[in-house]
Amino acid sequence: MSDIIRRDPRAEWIARNRLHPLHAAMQPAQHSWMGPNGVIRKNPHGIGFIGPNGIKRIDRSGAQQGGATKRTAAVEVQLPLHQVPAPAFYISVVPDMVGGRLSSHDRDLLGLAHQLAGKDGAVLAVVFGEHKENAFATAGVDRLLVLEGEQFSGYAPEQRVQGLRAVDNQFSPRHWLLPDSRTGGGELGRRFAAALGERPATRVWQVKDQECIGRAGAGLQDLARPLARLILAAVECAEPVSETRHEALPVELSTTVARSLSRIEDLGAVAVDPAAIPMAEAEFIFSGGNGVKDWGLFHRTAEALGATEGASRVAVDDGFMARDRQVGASGTWVTARVYVAVGISGAIQHLQGIGACDKVVAINLDPGCDMIKRADLSVIGESAEILQALIAAVEAYRNEARRDAA
Ligand SMILES: Cc1cc2nc3c(=O)[nH]c(=O)nc-3n(C[C@H](O)[C@H](O)[C@H](O)COP(=O)(O)OP(=O)(O)OC[C@H]3O[C@@H](n4cnc5c(N)ncnc54)[C@H](O)[C@@H]3O)c2cc1C
């Protein structure tokens, strides 16, 4: 998300109007502050606001709607710095870095690493190739090792295993943590385990009392086993780090990584038809509801963005979209990194289906609808106008990129 502070004129008007029933709720409230011992204190009662009917309302996006709370969300809290000057041991994490940034799965893993590191250990993140992340410190990275070089770029699991072996030789981490994901960590972790001759604990969702508990039996059973050195963890295996800031000190390998004689040649990414991607696996979903008035324009926008199409139940019931595109409780539960909801009100059945999406963008006429409350970014207005502007912006961006490349 950008640092641009979005203004909410209605909330600002309420904050100025002392006679408005929501006036008190729109005044700046302190939800977290640093206690005398340096630990961040939070006031759970400060979350949400009392609506005009006396019922407490809580904003589902986590970032409060409304002027006052928006203002506090924009103010960065200076978290206490966690330092490990001389680590007694390391816990190594190999984040997937999908799109060059830490995913929520990676952040969960860093949270788990801190549980295992305690006060004396340091969390060492091993990142391959170029990245775009600038929040390693707040995600909980004490030491950052970037393995650069074209030999690690693209699909190069054998070379990456070589890199991890070099890290293992130099830092001898007490534990290795990788995301058990389809985007890299699942395969890399298993290859690395085979190279080390160690048995990894897979699909781990909890680490407790020197035991790790993983899913087994087609996800229907739990398998508890003694804490393994190599852990391939599932999403939500731990709470991400949120109360401390870390040094993210750069470290380097003292040896060069030997080039593996690769048996795999990466021929590059292959363009796929976004419409052919199953909803549950799509990373970027462009979803339409009853507020879409021009379905031809909707399809053209999805194509221009290269997004997979989704729909609300009303859009499906009205025959504008196929049944397998329905998102929600009685459709597909999606896990996209970006979910754009065009003219969708945000009924609870729909919101249930997008609960695991990373970033939600809402395009809607009604600034008070539930989808806007859930969204990380909202655009209020007529859907057709906004979609046309979106296509024009995408085309302008592509033309510029083509000109730069020429
Ligand atoms: C048992 C059960 C299961 C259900 N399962 C699902 C499910 O899986 N998935 C699902 O989606 N629903 C499901 N529903 C239905 C759900 O309750 C809602 O009725 C449905 O999600 C509403 O769809 P909608 O938001 O597209 O339409 P509406 O509720 O009609 O909302 C349309 C939105 O578009 C906006 N709008 C209107 N015109 C424009 C415009 N020109 N430009 C921009 N915005 C505009 C409006 O402000 C409004 O917010 C289920 C219901 C039941 C009872």
Side-chain angles (χ1 to χ4, degrees):
M1 292 292 287
S2 76
D3 292 335
I4 298 169
I5 299 172
R6 309 266 169 203
R7 292 179 60 184
D8 181 345
R10 180 173 167 270
E12 289 174 1
W13 170 73
I14 295 171
R16 286 196 303 273
N17 181 356
R18 281 189 294 122
L19 297 179
H20 196 282
L22 287 179
H23 173 73
M26 293 297 173
Q27 299 312 304
Q30 218 182 356
H31 297 310
S32 73
W33 64 94
M34 192 174 315
N37 48 6
V39 175
I40 294 291
R41 320 295 310 186
K42 286 184 180 163
N43 173 14
H45 305 292
I47 298 168
F49 55 90
I50 305 295
N53 51 5
I55 295 174
K56 187 162 189 171
R57 322 291 310 191
I58 294 178
D59 174 354
R60 294 186 193 114
S61 73
Q64 296 267 302
Q65 301 287 314
T69 40
K70 265 240 158 91
R71 261 176 265 138
T72 51
V75 175
E76 243 182 54
V77 182
Q78 187 69 318
L79 297 169
L81 181 64
H82 172 90
Q83 283 174 301
V84 197
F89 59 90
Y90 289 98
I91 305 290
S92 266
V93 177
V94 188
D96 271 346
M97 304 291 295
V98 180
R101 294 198 169 85
L102 290 169
S103 64
S104 53
H105 194 170
D106 294 336
R107 288 172 188 271
D108 294 345
L109 226 68
L110 288 163
L112 178 59
H114 270 284
Q115 272 182 31
L116 295 168
K119 278 200 308 293
D120 303 325
V123 173
L124 168 72
V126 183
V127 173
F128 292 101
E130 276 182 30
H131 65 82
K132 302 174 197 153
E133 185 58 72
N134 50 16
F136 283 116
T138 45
V141 175
D142 298 310
R143 301 288 187 274
L144 178 64
L145 175 60
V146 182
L147 292 178
E148 277 169 319
E150 46 85 30
Q151 72 269 32
F152 294 116
S153 62
Y155 179 68
E158 293 163 320
Q159 190 61 50
R160 290 184 178 204
V161 166
Q162 291 278 22
L164 296 184
R165 293 196 71 164
V167 178
D168 197 51
N169 287 339
Q170 183 171 331
F171 294 91
S172 310
R174 186 176 282 184
H175 291 285
W176 277 98
L177 305 184
L178 287 96
D180 203 348
S181 62
R182 272 175 289 185
T183 33
E187 183 194 345
L188 182 63
R190 285 167 178 83
R191 282 177 179 270
F192 184 41
L196 292 179
E198 291 183 25
R199 183 182 163 215
T202 58
R203 301 169 76 192
V204 171
W205 61 271
Q206 193 175 46
V207 173
K208 205 170 72 175
D209 305 331
Q210 293 301 306
E211 266 197 342
C212 37
I213 305 170
R215 286 260 170 239
L220 299 175
Q221 283 170 336
D222 279 344
L223 183 72
R225 49 174 290 202
L227 190 54
R229 190 167 94 94
L230 225 145
I231 298 170
L232 307 186
V235 275
E236 296 183 7
C237 54
E239 284 291 321
V241 171
S242 63
E243 306 213 327
T244 42
R245 193 162 46 96
H246 297 254
E247 295 175 290
L249 287 179
V251 289
E252 283 181 9
L253 273 185
S254 52
T255 52
T256 48
V257 180
R259 276 199 179 242
S260 67
L261 275 177
S262 180
R263 281 159 293 182
I264 300 166
E265 188 186 355
D266 183 0
L267 296 178
V270 178
V272 291
D273 178 6
I277 301 174
M279 295 289 291
E281 288 177 22
E283 291 273 298
F284 180 18
I285 298 178
F286 191 70
S287 210
N290 205 13
V292 173
K293 304 298 172 203
D294 181 345
W295 283 95
L297 177 63
F298 174 84
H299 297 311
R300 285 200 299 283
T301 319
E303 198 185 332
L305 292 171
T308 303
E309 290 185 0
S312 75
R313 179 158 155 178
V314 170
V316 170
D317 286 350
D318 288 351
F320 293 114
M321 294 288 282
R323 182 65 63 195
D324 68 350
R325 294 287 123 188
Q326 182 182 319
V327 174
S330 53
T332 307
W333 294 52
V334 295
T335 56
R337 279 169 76 78
V338 178
Y339 185 84
V340 184
V342 188
I344 300 180
S345 58
I348 186 68
Q349 295 90 352
H350 193 90
L351 292 183
Q352 278 172 349
I354 62 168
C357 290
D358 232 4
K359 295 279 180 268
V360 174
V361 181
I363 298 174
N364 206 299
L365 270 180
D366 175 9
C369 74
D370 283 336
M371 185 56 85
I372 300 277
K373 291 177 187 153
R374 165 67 175 84
D376 300 275
L377 176 72
S378 307
V379 189
I380 311 295
E382 169 65 40
S383 61
E385 280 173 26
I386 294 163
L387 297 194
Q388 270 157 4
L390 200 52
I391 293 181
V394 170
E395 279 171 2
Y397 177 80
R398 297 227 167 104
N399 288 341
E400 200 179 320
R402 256 180 245 129
R403 263 199 306 277
D404 288 350

